Amino acid sequence: MGATKSENFTEKQNQMAIMLKALGHPARIAIMEFLMKTDSCICGDIVNELPLAQPTVSQHLKELKSAGLIKGSVEGTAICYCIDEKALEILRHYFGGISEHLEKRKNNCC
Amino acid sequence: MGATKSENFTEKQNQMAIMLKALGHPARIAIMEFLMKTDSCICGDIVNELPLAQPTVSQHLKELKSAGLIKGSVEGTAICYCIDEKALEILRHYFGGISEHLEKRKNNCC
DNA sequence: TTTATTTATTGCAATATTACGATAAATATG
DNA sequence: CATATTTATCGTAATATTGCAATAAATAAA
């Protein structure tokens, strides 16, 4: 016990959970918002922006990347990280769909 | 160490992280999808639907509720849980905004 | 090649999460 | 009230996450 029982859920459910879990930390939300708001995407800039040590930020970036939310490219000695638009489109569609569905059937019982 | 340093992030960032973290588990995604797809919202039905023991499901429901994603109401000896539309609207708006923003400035560097 | 700069990895301590059996709490029904 | 039904809580073991100092790895520039 202790570990998530992923094998009993659908591929899609696990995929959504992985992406949302990656976003379920304020530092990673802050990283995504920084990448969105600024034109810069150099890792060092992100480290300066966040109230966390460099190794911690590096770890958060790794998690966002492995969840498919950002991608990185080498830029000299620096690394440029960007939001993966495809992932964001999946999220937008997912929550858009739920909202629309709830809108349609106004039979909320609570 | 070990605990998230929430105090160094904005209220909004923490709020988003709390909601998304709550959705960052396949069982909780499955619960949300069940509540969306069926007319039922009885806790017992959710327990039957999920491949997890009743106390585990109860715990997941508690997390979704404390994150503001669902609300529950007593229905005799049963409890009826429903999606909180307001929370879903916040999520829809958040990801819609990011997607739109990315769409606008097509200058992705990666 | 040596040095500087930038990012990643390792190792570890502190804390949080996940899951479930046992049991309690709450409410309905006989 | 006693019993059945349904959900919540407690206690605990297994596992995962968070954060950082120390250090390694990678690349650029001198």
Side-chain angles (χ1 to χ4, degrees):
Chain A
M1 317 153 196
T4 294
K5 294 174 102 184
S6 310
E7 66 277 12
N8 295 312
F9 298 96
T10 70
E11 190 70 32
K12 223 175 171 187
Q13 286 169 339
N14 281 307
Q15 185 52 42
M16 285 309 298
I18 285 170
M19 286 200 288
L20 295 170
K21 185 178 187 177
L23 290 173
H25 189 289
R28 296 193 289 268
I29 288 286
I31 290 172
M32 295 298 280
E33 294 182 350
F34 179 79
L35 291 180
M36 191 184 69
K37 284 178 202 151
T38 74
D39 280 335
S40 163
C41 60
I42 302 299
C43 176
D45 295 347
I46 304 172
V47 171
N48 290 333
E49 180 77 3
L50 295 197
L52 294 168
Q54 179 267 322
T56 306
V57 173
S58 187
Q59 197 174 282
H60 283 308
L61 286 166
K62 190 179 175 184
E63 278 177 67
L64 286 171
K65 192 176 176 187
S66 90
L69 292 163
I70 63 175
K71 31 188 188 166
S73 60
V74 180
E75 197 98 354
T77 119
I79 311 262
C80 174
Y81 283 106
C82 294
I83 294 179
D84 188 322
E85 296 187 44
K86 227 171 340 180
L88 262 291
E89 183 52 34
I90 290 172
L91 291 169
R92 188 197 63 71
H93 184 261
Y94 188 76
F95 289 111
I98 296 182
S99 259
E100 194 182 4
H101 193 96
L102 294 177
E103 190 86 14
K104 241 180 260 176
R105 73 187 235 284
K106 274 287 189 192
N107 60 338
N108 260 28
C109 43
C110 303
Chain B
M1 315 152 196
T4 293
K5 294 174 103 186
S6 311
E7 65 276 12
N8 294 312
F9 299 96
T10 70
E11 191 68 33
K12 222 176 171 186
Q13 286 169 339
N14 281 308
Q15 185 51 42
M16 284 310 297
I18 285 169
M19 286 200 287
L20 294 170
K21 184 178 188 179
L23 290 173
H25 190 290
R28 295 193 290 265
I29 288 286
I31 289 171
M32 296 297 280
E33 294 182 349
F34 179 80
L35 291 180
M36 193 184 68
K37 283 177 201 151
T38 74
D39 280 334
S40 165
C41 59
I42 302 299
C43 176
D45 293 349
I46 304 172
V47 171
N48 289 333
E49 180 77 4
L50 294 197
L52 294 168
Q54 178 267 322
T56 307
V57 173
S58 186
Q59 199 173 280
H60 282 307
L61 286 166
K62 189 179 173 184
E63 278 179 65
L64 285 171
K65 194 176 174 189
S66 89
L69 292 162
I70 62 175
K71 29 188 187 165
S73 60
V74 180
E75 196 97 355
T77 119
I79 310 262
C80 175
Y81 283 107
C82 293
I83 295 178
D84 188 322
E85 297 186 45
K86 228 174 335 183
L88 262 290
E89 183 51 33
I90 291 172
L91 291 169
R92 189 197 64 69
H93 183 261
Y94 187 76
F95 289 112
I98 297 181
S99 258
E100 194 182 4
H101 193 96
L102 294 176
E103 189 85 15
K104 244 182 257 176
R105 72 185 235 284
K106 273 289 189 192
N107 59 338
N108 261 27
C109 44
C110 303

